[in-house]
Each structure stands twice: as structure tokens, then as C-alpha cells.
Amino acid sequence: MGKAKKRGDFPMYLVYADENGNVYDHPGLFSVARNGDILTEILEEELIPLPEGATLVSLPDTVPIGMDPDTGEMIKLDGCTAVGALVPQGITRLLLPGYVKTNRESKLPLFGYSAVVWKDNRFWVAGRASDDIYKWDPLNFPMDELRQRVEKTLELFPQNRILNHLSHCALEYECLTASNNFFNRWEGSLPVSYTCNAGCYGCISEQPDDSGFPSPQTRMNFKPTEDELVEVMLHHLQTPESIISFGQGCEGEPSTMAGIIVPAMRRVRETTDMGFININTNAGLTDHIKGIVDAGLDLMRVSIISAIDEHYNAYYRPRNYTLENVARSAEYAASKGVYTSINYLCFPGVFDREEEMEAMINFIRRTGIKLIQMRNLNIDPESYLAMIPKARGEVFGMKQAIEIYQEELPDVVIGSFTHIPPAELRRRKNMA
């Protein structure tokens, strides 16, 4: 095999798994990672200690690649399996594990795999802490207490199908946003739509039968009523920091249900000005978004993977809308005082391409986005790289790319989660 791109000489040893899933560090081979499809060494400043709550997983149908520290030659560790880390929310991965597939048709499950190494007698991952994870630490969601709260809430609202659906998300999928509905705190879920106007390749709740991998979640299969929405919203919006969010992983595009969202929001704001109403949306239905904004929306998070049409369309597969519609929706919301953010699906070797960065920075400036929520793209790397345009310019590396964003957009917050806006940027509530 060829030589890896030279990046440093730190003793970071290869981590791999045997056929039974037992994890080892290699005594003689250094770790190699991937930035997109480029094999590369790892810089020490790209590493953080393996975070609490991270999980090491073996990557099926792969062979790990290490580097001979004396010759710089890349070596396949045949008979073994590559290992990656699944990092908690709030940690942005900077590099992918170094591997080659033994079966090109095989697709990895829909997770975000980060490079992991053994260094100084402990595991490290190629990652960056992008936000405060306290509110999203699973330790703050004790399962015994959650079960009790779910039972109590369902007794209060026995006919509310949304809360019944969320009880499954909280207890079976351990969804922290759904769990917040039962803890009555922070950001809670309000799934509303079983349909979508996009056919995202990596959708976690609905995949075509021929996709090659199953969806890890089950999409809601009913149309809620306006009364059910109002019940959930009023039940959750009880503190100044409460956020109720349309648009969850277990549903389609929420703005397709603007016909019930708009009157439900107005009824809620006739009753209380407490908390914040948020929508997580692809923002393709501009007229629907305008109606939701005008009904008193506080926060909007736009899901996006690229500000380049060809790339955006390849992943989202939009139905009857364009990236221009997305931009117009975000512009309108910002013009009405909505605190807007992007849910930026990030992939090492793509996020950090020169042309991708230039297009996204221009998109953010145009639309008045205030917050970038960095989210690791959960997808099979080979499938994703095969569907999108090839790199046309320089590839900077994730760490340097984030630093460029910070320099070019000094007034934009870079985080991972939905934030409550500072007081001076909060929209006045629409109270009757």
C-alpha cells in the first residue's frame, strides 16, 4: 500500500477488534484516520480523552489500517476489524476511523463513527467539545424516575396519542428530548407529522426497502389533533427555560402540518407567554413557514448539509422545493425576530472543503443565522461520498475549518444544541 499523508510523530497506537468484538491496542502500529476518503495521521490537538458516555464499536466488514512508525507505510491488519467511537451529543468528530471495507456492498449502520486511538494508557478520540453537554448527559435522565414520570403523565392525559408515542421514544429509544416532556424541563418533543417533503438518504425514521440499512427509529403513524398539540405544549411550557420543539427524528417534516400547528400555537400564546416554541425543519415550504412564524414562533432550526445545490439535492432529495426556498424561509423568520439556527450535518472531509465553506458562510450571512448547531452525520461513509460532488478545492481539516468559521462569522455562535437566545435577541411573545 502507499504512504499516509504525513501529519506528526506522536505515539498514538492503532485500536482494533478481533472477530469476537474484543478491543485491543496494537503494540507496534500507529493509528491512521480518514478525512473523507483521504487516509491521514492524527494531530495531537485533534484528540480529546474518550468522553464519558462514548461507546467503542467494531465496524463490520472492515479491515483496520495502521502505520509502521519506522517506514511510514500503511498496513492492513487482516483478520481484524476496525473500531470507531460513538461520541455523545455535543462532541463534534474531527476524523473518521482508518479502514478499508472487505465487502464494498456492505453498509455500516446509521451512526457517526469517530477515529479512536490508544495513547498514554487510555483511549482518545478525534473530537471537539462544541457545547455544554450537561442538559444532554444521560446521567441526568435516571430510568427509574423516568418510568414513574411517564406513568404519571399518561394517567393525566390518557387520550393524548402524542404523549403515548413519546413514552415509547423515551423508554425504548432513550430519546432525551422525549424524556424531557416527562421531566417537565429543558427542550421537549412535539412530533406532529407522519409525512415529509424530502427523501433524505440518511433519514433515521424512514428508508426505502432497497436502501440496504434499516431505520433505527419508527416514525409516528397518525395525524394528531389540534387539541393534542395544545395539551402537550401547555404541559411542557411551565418554566422560562422550557422549549417545545416541532420536528423530531421520529417524524417527517413538521411544516407540512401547518394547518394544525398555527391555530395550536395561537391558542397556547393566548394562555401563556412562558418558554419558547421551536421548529426543527427543512424550511422548504416557505409559505407554511411564514404562517408558523406569524403565529408566534420563537426559535427555528433549519436542517442543512450543504449550501451547494448539487450536494444539498443529492442528500435531501427535496420534493417540490429548492435550496432557494430554504434560504427565503430562514430570511423571513430572521426578519420577524425569530432566533434562527442551522442544524449542520457535518462529515470530515466534506464540511471542511473550501467550496463548501465559502457557500455556507455566504448562506449564513444572507439569512441572518445566529447559531450553528454542529451535528455529526450518521451515515455509511462510502455511500455518502459516492453520491455527492467531488471536492473542487482545498480540504482544510475539521479543526481548521471550524476556526475559519469563527473568524469569518464572529457574531455567530458555534454549538451543538438548541439555545435559548440572549435577552436582547428574544422575540416579543404574541399574547392576546
Side-chain angles (χ1 to χ4, degrees), residues 286-326:
T286 303
D287 288 341
H288 290 203
I289 291 296
K290 286 181 177 179
I292 293 169
V293 167
D294 292 345
L297 190 70
D298 300 297
L299 316 172
M300 185 170 83
R301 185 183 77 182
V302 177
S303 181
I304 198 166
I305 200 166
S306 174
I308 298 173
D309 288 273
E310 185 181 1
H311 181 184
Y312 181 93
N313 293 339
Y315 178 79
Y316 280 98
R317 301 173 181 177
R319 299 162 184 157
N320 300 315
Y321 78 90
T322 67
L323 185 57
E324 177 62 21
N325 293 121
V326 178

Tab-separated table of all heavy atoms in Angstrom, residues 286-326:
chain	number	residue	atom	x	y	z
A	286	THR	N	-41.901	27.409	2.151
A	286	THR	CA	-41.748	28.785	2.628
A	286	THR	C	-43.066	29.391	3.076
A	286	THR	O	-43.132	30.053	4.123
A	286	THR	CB	-41.100	29.652	1.533
A	286	THR	OG1	-39.846	29.069	1.152
A	286	THR	CG2	-40.855	31.062	2.041
A	287	ASP	N	-44.145	29.192	2.334
A	287	ASP	CA	-45.431	29.762	2.727
A	287	ASP	C	-45.908	29.186	4.061
A	287	ASP	O	-46.470	29.917	4.898
A	287	ASP	CB	-46.485	29.505	1.643
A	287	ASP	CG	-46.255	30.349	0.394
A	287	ASP	OD1	-45.519	31.358	0.506
A	287	ASP	OD2	-46.791	30.003	-0.663
A	288	HIS	N	-45.701	27.902	4.271
A	288	HIS	CA	-46.076	27.282	5.545
A	288	HIS	C	-45.233	27.839	6.684
A	288	HIS	O	-45.746	28.102	7.780
A	288	HIS	CB	-45.919	25.763	5.456
A	288	HIS	CG	-46.928	25.099	4.571
A	288	HIS	ND1	-47.261	23.769	4.701
A	288	HIS	CD2	-47.680	25.573	3.555
A	288	HIS	CE1	-48.181	23.462	3.796
A	288	HIS	NE2	-48.434	24.533	3.084
A	289	ILE	N	-43.935	27.988	6.418
A	289	ILE	CA	-43.049	28.537	7.447
A	289	ILE	C	-43.468	29.957	7.807
A	289	ILE	O	-43.482	30.334	8.994
A	289	ILE	CB	-41.581	28.509	6.963
A	289	ILE	CG1	-41.071	27.073	6.874
A	289	ILE	CG2	-40.689	29.324	7.911
A	289	ILE	CD1	-41.001	26.323	8.185
A	290	LYS	N	-43.834	30.750	6.821
A	290	LYS	CA	-44.271	32.118	7.100
A	290	LYS	C	-45.484	32.126	8.029
A	290	LYS	O	-45.569	32.928	8.966
A	290	LYS	CB	-44.585	32.845	5.802
A	290	LYS	CG	-43.352	33.241	4.991
A	290	LYS	CD	-43.755	33.986	3.713
A	290	LYS	CE	-42.529	34.452	2.952
A	290	LYS	NZ	-42.898	35.168	1.690
A	291	GLY	N	-46.443	31.216	7.779
A	291	GLY	CA	-47.621	31.142	8.634
A	291	GLY	C	-47.269	30.766	10.057
A	291	GLY	O	-47.813	31.331	11.020
A	292	ILE	N	-46.338	29.823	10.223
A	292	ILE	CA	-45.918	29.386	11.560
A	292	ILE	C	-45.161	30.509	12.264
A	292	ILE	O	-45.348	30.754	13.460
A	292	ILE	CB	-45.071	28.104	11.446
A	292	ILE	CG1	-45.946	26.945	10.941
A	292	ILE	CG2	-44.432	27.747	12.785
A	292	ILE	CD1	-45.168	25.711	10.543
A	293	VAL	N	-44.305	31.208	11.533
A	293	VAL	CA	-43.581	32.355	12.107
A	293	VAL	C	-44.574	33.411	12.576
A	293	VAL	O	-44.476	33.941	13.697
A	293	VAL	CB	-42.603	32.942	11.068
A	293	VAL	CG1	-42.097	34.312	11.520
A	293	VAL	CG2	-41.429	31.998	10.843
A	294	ASP	N	-45.555	33.723	11.749
A	294	ASP	CA	-46.515	34.775	12.083
A	294	ASP	C	-47.409	34.398	13.264
A	294	ASP	O	-47.963	35.292	13.929
A	294	ASP	CB	-47.385	35.092	10.865
A	294	ASP	CG	-46.601	35.746	9.731
A	294	ASP	OD1	-45.468	36.202	9.982
A	294	ASP	OD2	-47.122	35.777	8.596
A	295	ALA	N	-47.531	33.100	13.544
A	295	ALA	CA	-48.349	32.648	14.671
A	295	ALA	C	-47.632	32.797	16.011
A	295	ALA	O	-48.233	32.558	17.063
A	295	ALA	CB	-48.770	31.197	14.467
A	296	GLY	N	-46.345	33.193	15.983
A	296	GLY	CA	-45.642	33.444	17.237
A	296	GLY	C	-44.448	32.555	17.509
A	296	GLY	O	-44.044	32.377	18.659
A	297	LEU	N	-43.826	32.007	16.462
A	297	LEU	CA	-42.658	31.156	16.634
A	297	LEU	C	-41.514	31.938	17.283
A	297	LEU	O	-41.283	33.099	16.959
A	297	LEU	CB	-42.205	30.617	15.269
A	297	LEU	CG	-41.143	29.523	15.275
A	297	LEU	CD1	-41.713	28.220	15.821
A	297	LEU	CD2	-40.607	29.305	13.849
A	298	ASP	N	-40.802	31.284	18.206
A	298	ASP	CA	-39.661	31.923	18.879
A	298	ASP	C	-38.320	31.514	18.284
A	298	ASP	O	-37.414	32.346	18.151
A	298	ASP	CB	-39.656	31.552	20.370
A	298	ASP	CG	-40.900	31.993	21.087
A	298	ASP	OD1	-41.132	33.208	21.156
A	298	ASP	OD2	-41.652	31.122	21.573
A	299	LEU	N	-38.184	30.231	17.971
A	299	LEU	CA	-36.912	29.676	17.527
A	299	LEU	C	-37.145	28.834	16.277
A	299	LEU	O	-38.171	28.157	16.150
A	299	LEU	CB	-36.279	28.782	18.599
A	299	LEU	CG	-36.275	29.255	20.053
A	299	LEU	CD1	-35.773	28.148	20.967
A	299	LEU	CD2	-35.406	30.492	20.197
A	300	MET	N	-36.172	28.823	15.369
A	300	MET	CA	-36.239	27.948	14.207
A	300	MET	C	-34.865	27.386	13.909
A	300	MET	O	-33.889	28.129	13.804
A	300	MET	CB	-36.773	28.676	12.969
A	300	MET	CG	-36.973	27.740	11.781
A	300	MET	SD	-37.873	28.508	10.401
A	300	MET	CE	-36.535	29.369	9.581
A	301	ARG	N	-34.807	26.071	13.772
A	301	ARG	CA	-33.555	25.402	13.410
A	301	ARG	C	-33.742	24.743	12.049
A	301	ARG	O	-34.612	23.895	11.874
A	301	ARG	CB	-33.185	24.343	14.451
A	301	ARG	CG	-31.831	23.699	14.201
A	301	ARG	CD	-31.545	22.604	15.215
A	301	ARG	NE	-32.284	21.390	14.906
A	301	ARG	CZ	-32.235	20.290	15.666
A	301	ARG	NH1	-31.550	20.286	16.791
A	301	ARG	NH2	-32.913	19.219	15.317
A	302	VAL	N	-32.922	25.149	11.093
A	302	VAL	CA	-33.024	24.656	9.728
A	302	VAL	C	-32.015	23.540	9.514
A	302	VAL	O	-30.809	23.723	9.715
A	302	VAL	CB	-32.762	25.792	8.726
A	302	VAL	CG1	-32.800	25.262	7.293
A	302	VAL	CG2	-33.782	26.911	8.909
A	303	SER	N	-32.504	22.381	9.130
A	303	SER	CA	-31.620	21.252	8.848
A	303	SER	C	-30.974	21.438	7.487
A	303	SER	O	-31.652	21.710	6.493
A	303	SER	CB	-32.421	19.943	8.874
A	303	SER	OG	-31.575	18.839	8.627
A	304	ILE	N	-29.648	21.287	7.438
A	304	ILE	CA	-28.923	21.531	6.178
A	304	ILE	C	-27.644	20.718	6.175
A	304	ILE	O	-27.066	20.425	7.232
A	304	ILE	CB	-28.639	23.044	6.002
A	304	ILE	CG1	-28.302	23.380	4.560
A	304	ILE	CG2	-27.556	23.518	6.976
A	304	ILE	CD1	-28.342	24.869	4.251
A	305	ILE	N	-27.221	20.337	4.995
A	305	ILE	CA	-25.971	19.595	4.865
A	305	ILE	C	-24.978	20.321	3.977
A	305	ILE	O	-23.780	20.063	4.031
A	305	ILE	CB	-26.235	18.176	4.313
A	305	ILE	CG1	-25.073	17.242	4.625
A	305	ILE	CG2	-26.559	18.197	2.811
A	305	ILE	CD1	-25.394	15.773	4.426
A	306	SER	N	-25.499	21.244	3.150
A	306	SER	CA	-24.647	21.989	2.227
A	306	SER	C	-25.431	23.180	1.701
A	306	SER	O	-26.661	23.131	1.601
A	306	SER	CB	-24.210	21.101	1.057
A	306	SER	OG	-23.497	21.837	0.092
A	307	ALA	N	-24.728	24.241	1.334
A	307	ALA	CA	-25.343	25.375	0.665
A	307	ALA	C	-25.038	25.355	-0.827
A	307	ALA	O	-25.190	26.363	-1.515
A	307	ALA	CB	-24.863	26.688	1.293
A	308	ILE	N	-24.612	24.192	-1.332
A	308	ILE	CA	-24.397	23.971	-2.757
A	308	ILE	C	-25.540	23.102	-3.262
A	308	ILE	O	-25.777	22.012	-2.734
A	308	ILE	CB	-23.038	23.296	-3.018
A	308	ILE	CG1	-21.890	24.208	-2.547
A	308	ILE	CG2	-22.869	22.941	-4.485
A	308	ILE	CD1	-20.519	23.569	-2.616
A	309	ASP	N	-26.262	23.570	-4.269
A	309	ASP	CA	-27.469	22.885	-4.730
A	309	ASP	C	-27.242	21.413	-5.034
A	309	ASP	O	-28.027	20.550	-4.608
A	309	ASP	CB	-28.027	23.581	-5.974
A	309	ASP	CG	-28.660	24.922	-5.661
A	309	ASP	OD1	-29.846	24.959	-5.325
A	309	ASP	OD2	-27.950	25.942	-5.738
A	310	GLU	N	-26.206	21.099	-5.801
A	310	GLU	CA	-25.973	19.721	-6.227
A	310	GLU	C	-25.784	18.792	-5.028
A	310	GLU	O	-26.315	17.681	-4.991
A	310	GLU	CB	-24.747	19.662	-7.146
A	310	GLU	CG	-24.505	18.278	-7.739
A	310	GLU	CD	-23.265	18.236	-8.623
A	310	GLU	OE1	-22.576	19.274	-8.756
A	310	GLU	OE2	-22.971	17.157	-9.163
A	311	HIS	N	-25.048	19.253	-4.044
A	311	HIS	CA	-24.803	18.453	-2.842
A	311	HIS	C	-26.077	18.356	-2.006
A	311	HIS	O	-26.476	17.269	-1.572
A	311	HIS	CB	-23.666	19.089	-2.043
A	311	HIS	CG	-23.303	18.347	-0.798
A	311	HIS	ND1	-22.358	18.813	0.091
A	311	HIS	CD2	-23.758	17.190	-0.254
A	311	HIS	CE1	-22.248	17.972	1.092
A	311	HIS	NE2	-23.094	16.978	0.914
A	312	TYR	N	-26.732	19.487	-1.780
A	312	TYR	CA	-27.962	19.504	-0.994
A	312	TYR	C	-28.996	18.562	-1.596
A	312	TYR	O	-29.607	17.741	-0.893
A	312	TYR	CB	-28.518	20.922	-0.917
A	312	TYR	CG	-29.780	21.048	-0.091
A	312	TYR	CD1	-29.711	21.380	1.255
A	312	TYR	CD2	-31.037	20.821	-0.651
A	312	TYR	CE1	-30.868	21.481	2.028
A	312	TYR	CE2	-32.189	20.914	0.106
A	312	TYR	CZ	-32.100	21.243	1.444
A	312	TYR	OH	-33.248	21.319	2.208
A	313	ASN	N	-29.203	18.644	-2.905
A	313	ASN	CA	-30.222	17.830	-3.563
A	313	ASN	C	-29.891	16.347	-3.524
A	313	ASN	O	-30.787	15.501	-3.404
A	313	ASN	CB	-30.397	18.281	-5.015
A	313	ASN	CG	-30.980	19.675	-5.121
A	313	ASN	OD1	-31.613	20.160	-4.188
A	313	ASN	ND2	-30.762	20.325	-6.256
A	314	ALA	N	-28.610	16.011	-3.606
A	314	ALA	CA	-28.215	14.603	-3.590
A	314	ALA	C	-28.568	13.938	-2.265
A	314	ALA	O	-28.970	12.767	-2.239
A	314	ALA	CB	-26.711	14.482	-3.847
A	315	TYR	N	-28.442	14.678	-1.173
A	315	TYR	CA	-28.729	14.097	0.144
A	315	TYR	C	-30.210	14.219	0.505
A	315	TYR	O	-30.855	13.245	0.897
A	315	TYR	CB	-27.877	14.762	1.223
A	315	TYR	CG	-28.187	14.227	2.612
A	315	TYR	CD1	-27.664	13.014	3.037
A	315	TYR	CD2	-29.017	14.928	3.477
A	315	TYR	CE1	-27.967	12.501	4.292
A	315	TYR	CE2	-29.332	14.423	4.729
A	315	TYR	CZ	-28.803	13.218	5.130
A	315	TYR	OH	-29.120	12.719	6.363
A	316	TYR	N	-30.777	15.420	0.399
A	316	TYR	CA	-32.147	15.650	0.869
A	316	TYR	C	-33.206	15.144	-0.111
A	316	TYR	O	-34.328	14.842	0.295
A	316	TYR	CB	-32.382	17.139	1.151
A	316	TYR	CG	-31.838	17.554	2.485
A	316	TYR	CD1	-30.592	18.159	2.579
A	316	TYR	CD2	-32.552	17.330	3.651
A	316	TYR	CE1	-30.072	18.537	3.810
A	316	TYR	CE2	-32.046	17.699	4.878
A	316	TYR	CZ	-30.809	18.296	4.960
A	316	TYR	OH	-30.296	18.650	6.182
A	317	ARG	N	-32.875	15.080	-1.382
A	317	ARG	CA	-33.837	14.660	-2.401
A	317	ARG	C	-35.166	15.406	-2.220
A	317	ARG	O	-36.228	14.798	-2.006
A	317	ARG	CB	-34.053	13.149	-2.330
A	317	ARG	CG	-32.757	12.362	-2.537
A	317	ARG	CD	-32.924	10.881	-2.305
A	317	ARG	NE	-31.660	10.180	-2.483
A	317	ARG	CZ	-31.497	8.862	-2.288
A	317	ARG	NH1	-32.517	8.121	-1.913
A	317	ARG	NH2	-30.329	8.310	-2.475
A	318	PRO	N	-35.117	16.727	-2.279
A	318	PRO	CA	-36.313	17.540	-1.992
A	318	PRO	C	-37.429	17.306	-2.998
A	318	PRO	O	-37.181	17.080	-4.187
A	318	PRO	CB	-35.781	18.977	-2.066
A	318	PRO	CG	-34.570	18.892	-2.942
A	318	PRO	CD	-33.958	17.551	-2.673
A	319	ARG	N	-38.649	17.355	-2.490
A	319	ARG	CA	-39.833	17.173	-3.317
A	319	ARG	C	-40.565	18.512	-3.416
A	319	ARG	O	-41.145	18.979	-2.445
A	319	ARG	CB	-40.740	16.105	-2.701
A	319	ARG	CG	-40.071	14.729	-2.580
A	319	ARG	CD	-40.793	13.833	-1.598
A	319	ARG	NE	-40.082	12.555	-1.431
A	319	ARG	CZ	-40.205	11.769	-0.368
A	319	ARG	NH1	-41.013	12.121	0.627
A	319	ARG	NH2	-39.531	10.635	-0.294
A	320	ASN	N	-40.502	19.112	-4.584
A	320	ASN	CA	-41.217	20.356	-4.866
A	320	ASN	C	-40.724	21.544	-4.041
A	320	ASN	O	-41.501	22.416	-3.665
A	320	ASN	CB	-42.727	20.170	-4.674
A	320	ASN	CG	-43.293	19.097	-5.583
A	320	ASN	OD1	-42.971	19.058	-6.774
A	320	ASN	ND2	-44.112	18.218	-5.033
A	321	TYR	N	-39.445	21.576	-3.712
A	321	TYR	CA	-38.836	22.773	-3.143
A	321	TYR	C	-37.360	22.777	-3.488
A	321	TYR	O	-36.815	21.764	-3.955
A	321	TYR	CB	-39.058	22.870	-1.631
A	321	TYR	CG	-38.161	22.001	-0.775
A	321	TYR	CD1	-36.937	22.476	-0.305
A	321	TYR	CD2	-38.540	20.715	-0.408
A	321	TYR	CE1	-36.109	21.696	0.495
A	321	TYR	CE2	-37.730	19.923	0.389
A	321	TYR	CZ	-36.509	20.419	0.832
A	321	TYR	OH	-35.701	19.642	1.617
A	322	THR	N	-36.722	23.910	-3.298
A	322	THR	CA	-35.315	24.064	-3.635
A	322	THR	C	-34.557	24.672	-2.459
A	322	THR	O	-35.150	25.152	-1.487
A	322	THR	CB	-35.127	24.987	-4.851
A	322	THR	OG1	-35.529	26.323	-4.484
A	322	THR	CG2	-35.962	24.506	-6.035
A	323	LEU	N	-33.251	24.676	-2.570
A	323	LEU	CA	-32.416	25.308	-1.557
A	323	LEU	C	-32.732	26.800	-1.447
A	323	LEU	O	-32.637	27.381	-0.360
A	323	LEU	CB	-30.940	25.085	-1.896
A	323	LEU	CG	-29.895	25.572	-0.901
A	323	LEU	CD1	-30.094	24.954	0.480
A	323	LEU	CD2	-28.483	25.262	-1.423
A	324	GLU	N	-33.140	27.408	-2.544
A	324	GLU	CA	-33.530	28.820	-2.509
A	324	GLU	C	-34.744	29.016	-1.601
A	324	GLU	O	-34.830	30.015	-0.879
A	324	GLU	CB	-33.821	29.318	-3.912
A	324	GLU	CG	-34.318	30.760	-3.996
A	324	GLU	CD	-33.317	31.789	-3.484
A	324	GLU	OE1	-32.106	31.489	-3.419
A	324	GLU	OE2	-33.755	32.914	-3.152
A	325	ASN	N	-35.704	28.083	-1.623
A	325	ASN	CA	-36.836	28.151	-0.704
A	325	ASN	C	-36.368	28.121	0.745
A	325	ASN	O	-36.897	28.840	1.605
A	325	ASN	CB	-37.801	26.989	-0.942
A	325	ASN	CG	-38.504	27.061	-2.281
A	325	ASN	OD1	-38.382	26.151	-3.100
A	325	ASN	ND2	-39.242	28.129	-2.514
A	326	VAL	N	-35.387	27.280	1.024
A	326	VAL	CA	-34.844	27.175	2.380
A	326	VAL	C	-34.276	28.517	2.822
A	326	VAL	O	-34.541	29.002	3.931
A	326	VAL	CB	-33.760	26.075	2.442
A	326	VAL	CG1	-33.150	26.004	3.842
A	326	VAL	CG2	-34.333	24.719	2.040
